[in-house]
Amino acid sequence: MKSKLWSSLFALGATLVLAERAIAFSPNSANRNTEIVQSQLPTDAQLVNSFQLFGEPTMCRGFSLPAFAVSSDSQSFAVMAHGFTERLCGGGESNLTLWNLATGKKIKTLLEGGVGEAFLMSPPFNEAEPNDITALAGDLAHDLVFTPDGKMLVGALSEMTIKLWDSKTGEVLQTLSGHRAAVRSIAITPDGQTLISGSSDKTIKFWDLKTGRVTRTLTETYGIQEIILSPDGQSLLSIANDNEFDPTDAKINLWDVKTGKLIRDFYPSREVLRPIIFSQDSKTIISASPDNSIKLWDARKGIRMLTLKSHTDRLHWLATTPDGLFLASSSYDGQVKLWNFPDRKFIRTIPIETGFALLKFSPDGRILAIGTGGDVQLWNWRIPEKYHSIAGDWALDFTLDGQTVLVNNSATFNIDVWRYRK
């Protein structure tokens, strides 16, 4: 399981969250009953552990999580964190740490850096020329992912390399070199054989994980911010932009992974915006659009198939139930919408008190976690009914059993672990 927060900033007196998430679902199902027995749902949630990433918060300190990943067996997780301070206070730190989720103990601090390096990850420094010292921002990770077997952690680093660590010990197994600027995003094919990386050097590279060699390089016109691999590993979306804070100007391309050929350049039509995800059968792309609608695209041909309309402002997040039957969307209109995806029909609205919401379904699809930046609300979305509110900002991930959720808490600089009680 992977959770990538491409930009999140928590500063004194305010919270800003800019995020993207790729989640998959399957459209090959018939009508389903959306009712569920209330007694089947958890009735309470209990804080069982807290992982402290930095020292105690102060009036000058801020907190940011650029990258986060949980292993496929839910036994460990890795997090890239920045604890920075206001200029008048000085100082700051950043680190990449690996944790044992079962024991609650830190396995190892994999990387450490200073606050100056953290700021160099932001524009325009991440687009710097290779001979510019600002291109070498230090060992800070932009993206993290575990291999499908959970044995290795892979990190995309700002100092132009990709590192592979043993997920049990934190030992460095291999360092992949070849990019000429910060590596921004990574993905691994389902068979665990191929690693794909996107970089600020305007290239996408394919690596043989066994040999560490580059097997193919694709070239873009802007620095790569994000790559999204389809669940079957056959299609790839690349998101390139010279200004990551302007989502309307992103250049999104669809590639055939096997041949390396460009299937569709979505940029000229301006119809595709973030958030954007693949369906679980890899046949459909779901994206935001400038007209505030959700658009569905044929992932093999890049042809638009359908438009879903209900929101009145720009979309912020897309998520699906793991069985692929339902889609959730949040928007700056202050509403979360639920959709029956196989039928392409709107179901209901959950109103929220903020202009954005980060969404995450539990593995069994029964619970929808809505992170508002002020709390994490756990909903029985089928009724709908909110049954619990957790202190924190958003749900980073659920464990495989669906009974534990990891929550980012910027007020304490912690990652809190909450366990459901039935």
Side-chain angles (χ1 to χ4, degrees), residues 128-154:
E129 293 298 321
N131 61 351
D132 189 331
I133 190 171
T134 60
L136 305 176
D139 281 333
L140 301 177
H142 288 276
D143 197 7
L144 299 169
V145 62
F146 284 90
T147 53
D149 60 12
K151 294 182 179 180
M152 289 191 297
L153 171 68
V154 185

Side-chain angles (χ1 to χ4, degrees), residues 14-33:
T15 300
L16 168 66
V17 180
L18 301 171
E20 191 280 335
R21 174 68 169 149
I23 302 178
F25 58 93
S26 171
N28 56 354
S29 56
N31 296 337
R32 303 298 173 96
N33 187 354

